[in-house]
Short mmCIF file of all heavy atoms in Angstrom, two decimals:
data_model
loop_
_atom_site.label_atom_id
_atom_site.label_comp_id
_atom_site.label_asym_id
_atom_site.label_seq_id
_atom_site.Cartn_x
_atom_site.Cartn_y
_atom_site.Cartn_z
N VAL A 1 175.23 124.98 254.02
CA VAL A 1 175.62 124.38 255.29
C VAL A 1 176.83 123.48 255.01
O VAL A 1 176.84 122.61 254.12
CB VAL A 1 174.49 123.52 255.93
CG1 VAL A 1 174.93 122.86 257.17
CG2 VAL A 1 173.27 124.47 256.23
N ILE A 2 177.90 123.68 255.80
CA ILE A 2 179.17 122.83 255.63
C ILE A 2 179.12 121.64 256.59
O ILE A 2 178.86 121.87 257.81
CB ILE A 2 180.39 123.77 255.90
CG1 ILE A 2 180.49 124.81 254.82
CG2 ILE A 2 181.59 122.90 255.88
CD1 ILE A 2 181.60 125.81 254.97
N PHE A 3 179.33 120.48 256.10
CA PHE A 3 179.31 119.24 256.92
C PHE A 3 180.77 118.68 256.98
O PHE A 3 181.46 118.66 255.91
CB PHE A 3 178.38 118.22 256.35
CG PHE A 3 176.94 118.62 256.41
CD1 PHE A 3 176.34 119.15 255.29
CD2 PHE A 3 176.21 118.41 257.56
CE1 PHE A 3 175.01 119.53 255.31
CE2 PHE A 3 174.88 118.80 257.61
CZ PHE A 3 174.27 119.33 256.48
N HIS A 4 181.17 118.27 258.13
CA HIS A 4 182.49 117.58 258.30
C HIS A 4 182.25 116.10 258.39
O HIS A 4 181.54 115.62 259.29
CB HIS A 4 183.13 118.14 259.60
CG HIS A 4 183.23 119.64 259.58
ND1 HIS A 4 182.12 120.44 259.88
CD2 HIS A 4 184.27 120.50 259.41
CE1 HIS A 4 182.50 121.72 259.83
NE2 HIS A 4 183.80 121.75 259.49
N VAL A 5 182.77 115.37 257.48
CA VAL A 5 182.69 113.90 257.50
C VAL A 5 183.76 113.37 258.43
O VAL A 5 184.96 113.50 258.19
CB VAL A 5 182.84 113.32 256.03
CG1 VAL A 5 182.71 111.79 256.11
CG2 VAL A 5 181.80 113.92 255.09
N THR A 6 183.27 112.69 259.49
CA THR A 6 184.27 112.32 260.56
C THR A 6 184.23 110.76 260.82
O THR A 6 183.26 110.08 260.39
CB THR A 6 184.00 113.01 261.85
OG1 THR A 6 182.75 112.58 262.38
CG2 THR A 6 184.01 114.56 261.65
N ASP A 7 185.23 110.30 261.58
CA ASP A 7 185.22 108.86 261.89
C ASP A 7 184.54 108.60 263.27
O ASP A 7 184.30 107.42 263.55
CB ASP A 7 186.71 108.38 261.97
CG ASP A 7 187.54 109.06 263.07
OD1 ASP A 7 187.07 110.16 263.53
OD2 ASP A 7 188.55 108.52 263.42
N LYS A 8 184.22 109.66 264.01
CA LYS A 8 183.52 109.44 265.26
C LYS A 8 182.43 110.52 265.44
O LYS A 8 182.45 111.56 264.83
CB LYS A 8 184.55 109.53 266.43
CG LYS A 8 185.63 108.52 266.41
CD LYS A 8 186.67 108.85 267.54
CE LYS A 8 187.85 107.99 267.40
NZ LYS A 8 188.88 108.38 268.36
N ALA A 9 181.51 110.21 266.35
CA ALA A 9 180.42 111.20 266.64
C ALA A 9 180.84 112.17 267.71
O ALA A 9 181.75 111.88 268.55
CB ALA A 9 179.17 110.41 267.06
N ILE A 10 180.25 113.33 267.74
CA ILE A 10 180.39 114.30 268.78
C ILE A 10 179.01 114.80 269.13
O ILE A 10 178.23 115.15 268.27
CB ILE A 10 181.30 115.56 268.34
CG1 ILE A 10 182.67 115.03 267.86
CG2 ILE A 10 181.45 116.50 269.51
CD1 ILE A 10 183.57 116.17 267.34
N LEU A 11 178.72 114.87 270.41
CA LEU A 11 177.40 115.33 270.89
C LEU A 11 177.09 116.75 270.50
O LEU A 11 177.91 117.59 270.54
CB LEU A 11 177.26 115.18 272.39
CG LEU A 11 177.29 113.72 272.96
CD1 LEU A 11 177.31 113.73 274.46
CD2 LEU A 11 176.11 112.96 272.43
N GLU A 12 175.81 116.95 270.08
CA GLU A 12 175.37 118.30 269.75
C GLU A 12 175.58 119.17 270.99
O GLU A 12 175.32 118.81 272.10
CB GLU A 12 173.84 118.23 269.40
CG GLU A 12 173.25 119.55 268.98
CD GLU A 12 171.82 119.35 268.57
OE1 GLU A 12 171.45 118.32 268.04
OE2 GLU A 12 171.02 120.30 268.87
N GLY A 13 176.01 120.39 270.70
CA GLY A 13 176.26 121.40 271.74
C GLY A 13 177.65 121.39 272.33
O GLY A 13 178.04 122.28 273.04
N THR A 14 178.51 120.43 271.86
CA THR A 14 179.84 120.34 272.37
C THR A 14 180.74 121.43 271.77
O THR A 14 180.67 121.69 270.55
CB THR A 14 180.45 118.93 272.06
OG1 THR A 14 179.66 117.92 272.64
CG2 THR A 14 181.87 118.78 272.57
N GLU A 15 181.53 122.03 272.58
CA GLU A 15 182.48 122.98 272.08
C GLU A 15 183.70 122.22 271.56
O GLU A 15 184.17 121.23 272.19
CB GLU A 15 183.00 123.95 273.17
CG GLU A 15 181.90 124.82 273.72
CD GLU A 15 181.57 125.98 272.79
OE1 GLU A 15 182.43 126.31 271.97
OE2 GLU A 15 180.50 126.58 272.96
N VAL A 16 184.24 122.56 270.33
CA VAL A 16 185.35 121.82 269.78
C VAL A 16 186.42 122.76 269.34
O VAL A 16 186.23 123.94 269.03
CB VAL A 16 184.90 120.95 268.58
CG1 VAL A 16 183.93 119.92 268.95
CG2 VAL A 16 184.34 121.79 267.46
N LEU A 17 187.63 122.23 269.37
CA LEU A 17 188.82 122.92 268.75
C LEU A 17 189.07 122.24 267.37
O LEU A 17 189.29 121.04 267.33
CB LEU A 17 190.03 122.82 269.62
CG LEU A 17 191.32 123.37 269.09
CD1 LEU A 17 191.25 124.87 268.92
CD2 LEU A 17 192.50 122.93 269.96
N GLY A 18 189.05 123.02 266.33
CA GLY A 18 189.29 122.45 265.04
C GLY A 18 190.76 122.76 264.64
O GLY A 18 191.30 123.83 264.87
N ARG A 19 191.40 121.75 263.97
CA ARG A 19 192.77 121.93 263.52
C ARG A 19 192.90 121.33 262.12
O ARG A 19 192.66 120.09 261.91
CB ARG A 19 193.79 121.24 264.45
CG ARG A 19 195.21 121.48 264.11
CD ARG A 19 196.08 121.00 265.24
NE ARG A 19 196.13 119.53 265.31
CZ ARG A 19 196.66 118.85 266.27
NH1 ARG A 19 197.21 119.47 267.33
NH2 ARG A 19 196.61 117.51 266.24
N LEU A 20 193.27 122.16 261.14
CA LEU A 20 193.36 121.72 259.75
C LEU A 20 194.60 120.90 259.49
O LEU A 20 195.62 121.14 260.18
CB LEU A 20 193.42 122.91 258.77
CG LEU A 20 192.05 123.47 258.27
CD1 LEU A 20 191.23 124.09 259.40
CD2 LEU A 20 192.27 124.47 257.16
N ASN A 21 194.58 120.02 258.47
CA ASN A 21 195.80 119.48 257.94
C ASN A 21 196.35 120.53 257.03
O ASN A 21 195.95 120.64 255.86
CB ASN A 21 195.47 118.16 257.20
CG ASN A 21 196.69 117.50 256.59
OD1 ASN A 21 197.68 118.20 256.26
ND2 ASN A 21 196.67 116.22 256.47
N TRP A 22 197.17 121.39 257.56
CA TRP A 22 197.63 122.58 256.83
C TRP A 22 198.52 122.26 255.64
O TRP A 22 198.48 122.99 254.60
CB TRP A 22 198.34 123.52 257.78
CG TRP A 22 198.79 124.80 257.12
CD1 TRP A 22 200.02 125.19 256.82
CD2 TRP A 22 197.83 125.79 256.59
NE1 TRP A 22 199.98 126.44 256.12
CE2 TRP A 22 198.67 126.78 255.97
CE3 TRP A 22 196.45 125.90 256.58
CZ2 TRP A 22 198.13 127.90 255.42
CZ3 TRP A 22 195.89 127.01 255.98
CH2 TRP A 22 196.77 128.06 255.32
N ASP A 23 199.32 121.18 255.68
CA ASP A 23 200.11 120.78 254.58
C ASP A 23 199.22 120.57 253.31
O ASP A 23 199.56 121.04 252.23
CB ASP A 23 200.96 119.62 254.84
CG ASP A 23 202.08 119.92 255.80
OD1 ASP A 23 202.44 121.13 255.96
OD2 ASP A 23 202.65 118.91 256.40
N LYS A 24 198.11 119.86 253.53
CA LYS A 24 197.21 119.57 252.39
C LYS A 24 196.52 120.80 251.97
O LYS A 24 196.32 121.06 250.72
CB LYS A 24 196.20 118.52 252.81
CG LYS A 24 196.74 117.06 252.80
CD LYS A 24 195.64 116.07 252.83
CE LYS A 24 196.21 114.63 252.59
NZ LYS A 24 195.16 113.60 252.53
N ARG A 25 196.08 121.66 252.88
CA ARG A 25 195.37 122.89 252.52
C ARG A 25 196.28 123.79 251.72
O ARG A 25 195.92 124.34 250.68
CB ARG A 25 194.83 123.60 253.73
CG ARG A 25 194.50 125.05 253.47
CD ARG A 25 193.39 125.31 252.51
NE ARG A 25 192.16 125.37 253.24
CZ ARG A 25 191.76 126.33 254.05
NH1 ARG A 25 192.50 127.42 254.18
NH2 ARG A 25 190.64 126.21 254.68
N LEU A 26 197.54 123.94 252.19
CA LEU A 26 198.49 124.83 251.48
C LEU A 26 198.70 124.33 250.09
O LEU A 26 198.84 125.09 249.15
CB LEU A 26 199.79 124.93 252.30
CG LEU A 26 200.88 125.79 251.66
CD1 LEU A 26 200.48 127.20 251.38
CD2 LEU A 26 202.14 125.74 252.49
N ARG A 27 198.89 122.97 250.02
CA ARG A 27 199.09 122.37 248.67
C ARG A 27 197.93 122.71 247.75
O ARG A 27 198.09 123.14 246.60
CB ARG A 27 199.22 120.86 248.81
CG ARG A 27 199.37 120.07 247.49
CD ARG A 27 199.47 118.60 247.81
NE ARG A 27 199.63 117.80 246.60
CZ ARG A 27 198.63 117.25 245.91
NH1 ARG A 27 197.37 117.46 246.34
NH2 ARG A 27 198.89 116.59 244.83
N ASN A 28 196.71 122.61 248.26
CA ASN A 28 195.47 122.93 247.46
C ASN A 28 195.50 124.41 247.05
O ASN A 28 195.04 124.73 245.89
CB ASN A 28 194.19 122.55 248.23
CG ASN A 28 194.03 121.05 248.40
OD1 ASN A 28 194.68 120.28 247.69
ND2 ASN A 28 193.24 120.70 249.36
N MET A 29 195.91 125.28 247.98
CA MET A 29 195.87 126.68 247.67
C MET A 29 196.91 127.07 246.56
O MET A 29 196.65 127.80 245.66
CB MET A 29 196.14 127.51 248.92
CG MET A 29 194.99 127.44 249.95
SD MET A 29 195.49 127.92 251.65
CE MET A 29 196.01 129.60 251.40
N GLN A 30 198.09 126.45 246.71
CA GLN A 30 199.16 126.62 245.71
C GLN A 30 198.66 126.10 244.36
O GLN A 30 198.83 126.75 243.27
CB GLN A 30 200.39 125.96 246.14
CG GLN A 30 201.11 126.58 247.35
CD GLN A 30 202.20 125.71 247.90
OE1 GLN A 30 202.12 124.47 247.86
NE2 GLN A 30 203.27 126.33 248.40
N ASN A 31 198.11 124.94 244.42
CA ASN A 31 197.58 124.37 243.11
C ASN A 31 196.52 125.26 242.47
O ASN A 31 196.55 125.50 241.25
CB ASN A 31 196.95 123.01 243.38
CG ASN A 31 198.02 121.93 243.63
OD1 ASN A 31 199.18 122.05 243.23
ND2 ASN A 31 197.65 120.85 244.30
N HIS A 32 195.60 125.70 243.27
CA HIS A 32 194.51 126.51 242.76
C HIS A 32 194.98 127.83 242.15
O HIS A 32 194.57 128.29 241.09
CB HIS A 32 193.46 126.75 243.84
CG HIS A 32 192.09 126.84 243.31
ND1 HIS A 32 190.92 126.50 244.07
CD2 HIS A 32 191.57 127.29 242.15
CE1 HIS A 32 189.85 126.72 243.31
NE2 HIS A 32 190.25 127.20 242.13
N SER A 33 195.86 128.56 242.91
CA SER A 33 196.36 129.82 242.46
C SER A 33 197.25 129.66 241.17
O SER A 33 197.16 130.42 240.21
CB SER A 33 197.18 130.52 243.52
OG SER A 33 196.32 130.79 244.66
N GLY A 34 198.06 128.56 241.20
CA GLY A 34 198.83 128.32 240.01
C GLY A 34 198.02 128.02 238.80
O GLY A 34 198.32 128.48 237.66
N GLU A 35 197.01 127.24 238.98
CA GLU A 35 196.06 126.97 237.87
C GLU A 35 195.36 128.22 237.33
O GLU A 35 195.23 128.39 236.12
CB GLU A 35 195.01 125.99 238.34
CG GLU A 35 193.87 125.68 237.33
CD GLU A 35 192.69 126.63 237.41
OE1 GLU A 35 192.33 126.94 238.60
OE2 GLU A 35 192.17 127.11 236.37
N HIS A 36 195.04 129.14 238.18
CA HIS A 36 194.41 130.41 237.76
C HIS A 36 195.37 131.19 236.83
O HIS A 36 194.95 131.70 235.81
CB HIS A 36 194.01 131.29 238.96
CG HIS A 36 192.58 131.00 239.48
ND1 HIS A 36 191.72 132.04 239.68
CD2 HIS A 36 191.98 129.86 239.80
CE1 HIS A 36 190.54 131.50 240.07
NE2 HIS A 36 190.75 130.19 240.21
N ILE A 37 196.62 131.23 237.25
CA ILE A 37 197.56 132.05 236.44
C ILE A 37 197.72 131.36 235.04
O ILE A 37 197.69 132.04 233.97
CB ILE A 37 198.89 132.11 237.10
CG1 ILE A 37 198.79 132.86 238.43
CG2 ILE A 37 199.93 132.86 236.20
CD1 ILE A 37 200.08 132.83 239.25
N LEU A 38 197.86 130.04 235.03
CA LEU A 38 198.05 129.33 233.80
C LEU A 38 196.79 129.49 232.94
O LEU A 38 196.87 129.75 231.69
CB LEU A 38 198.31 127.82 234.03
CG LEU A 38 198.43 126.95 232.83
CD1 LEU A 38 199.60 127.43 231.93
CD2 LEU A 38 198.64 125.51 233.21
N SER A 39 195.64 129.26 233.47
CA SER A 39 194.33 129.39 232.71
C SER A 39 194.23 130.77 232.19
O SER A 39 193.72 130.92 231.07
CB SER A 39 193.18 128.97 233.61
OG SER A 39 193.19 127.63 233.99
N GLY A 40 194.62 131.80 232.95
CA GLY A 40 194.47 133.17 232.49
C GLY A 40 195.37 133.46 231.30
O GLY A 40 194.96 134.13 230.40
N LEU A 41 196.62 132.94 231.40
CA LEU A 41 197.56 133.12 230.24
C LEU A 41 197.07 132.49 228.98
O LEU A 41 197.06 133.06 227.89
CB LEU A 41 198.92 132.56 230.67
CG LEU A 41 199.72 133.39 231.63
CD1 LEU A 41 200.89 132.51 232.18
CD2 LEU A 41 200.21 134.68 231.01
N ILE A 42 196.51 131.25 229.13
CA ILE A 42 196.04 130.57 227.91
C ILE A 42 194.81 131.21 227.41
O ILE A 42 194.59 131.35 226.16
CB ILE A 42 195.77 129.01 228.29
CG1 ILE A 42 197.12 128.37 228.61
CG2 ILE A 42 195.12 128.35 227.12
CD1 ILE A 42 196.94 126.96 229.16
N HIS A 43 193.88 131.67 228.25
CA HIS A 43 192.67 132.32 227.83
C HIS A 43 193.01 133.58 227.17
O HIS A 43 192.37 133.96 226.15
CB HIS A 43 191.78 132.61 229.05
CG HIS A 43 190.45 133.24 228.74
ND1 HIS A 43 189.41 132.49 228.22
CD2 HIS A 43 190.04 134.56 228.80
CE1 HIS A 43 188.38 133.30 227.98
NE2 HIS A 43 188.75 134.56 228.33
N ALA A 44 194.03 134.37 227.66
CA ALA A 44 194.35 135.65 227.06
C ALA A 44 194.90 135.45 225.63
O ALA A 44 194.69 136.20 224.70
CB ALA A 44 195.40 136.35 227.90
N LYS A 45 195.60 134.37 225.38
CA LYS A 45 196.29 134.12 224.11
C LYS A 45 195.31 133.45 223.11
O LYS A 45 195.28 133.80 221.95
CB LYS A 45 197.50 133.18 224.28
CG LYS A 45 198.29 132.96 222.94
CD LYS A 45 199.60 132.25 223.19
CE LYS A 45 200.32 132.08 221.90
NZ LYS A 45 201.66 131.43 222.08
N TYR A 46 194.51 132.51 223.57
CA TYR A 46 193.69 131.74 222.62
C TYR A 46 192.15 131.84 222.90
O TYR A 46 191.37 131.43 222.07
CB TYR A 46 194.06 130.23 222.75
CG TYR A 46 195.42 129.89 222.21
CD1 TYR A 46 196.41 129.45 223.08
CD2 TYR A 46 195.73 130.05 220.88
CE1 TYR A 46 197.69 129.14 222.58
CE2 TYR A 46 197.01 129.74 220.38
CZ TYR A 46 197.98 129.28 221.26
OH TYR A 46 199.21 129.01 220.80
N GLY A 47 191.78 132.34 224.03
CA GLY A 47 190.35 132.43 224.33
C GLY A 47 189.76 131.09 224.84
O GLY A 47 188.53 131.00 225.00
#
């Protein structure tokens, strides 16, 4: 179950529109994919 930690309450049953902070998400995706490539190269060379 995914929980969203928020600054305000919203009543159960309410329909909501969600909008991501895309700049932060994209940064995280770039970091994660870049780390995979680097980790893979190092693992292939040294284990």
Side-chain angles (χ1 to χ4, degrees):
V1 176
I2 295 176
F3 295 97
H4 306 75
V5 181
T6 67
D7 63 342
K8 300 173 187 174
I10 304 178
L11 290 175
E12 183 178 326
T14 302
E15 298 282 341
V16 297
L17 173 68
R19 187 171 69 189
L20 270 68
N21 181 331
W22 183 247
D23 287 343
K24 282 195 172 185
R25 160 65 87 75
L26 178 59
R27 176 181 183 269
N28 291 342
M29 291 162 62
Q30 291 170 325
N31 287 336
H32 210 151
S33 298
E35 174 271 318
H36 270 232
I37 299 172
L38 178 60
S39 293
L41 286 166
I42 295 173
H43 183 78
K45 183 172 183 178
Y46 293 113

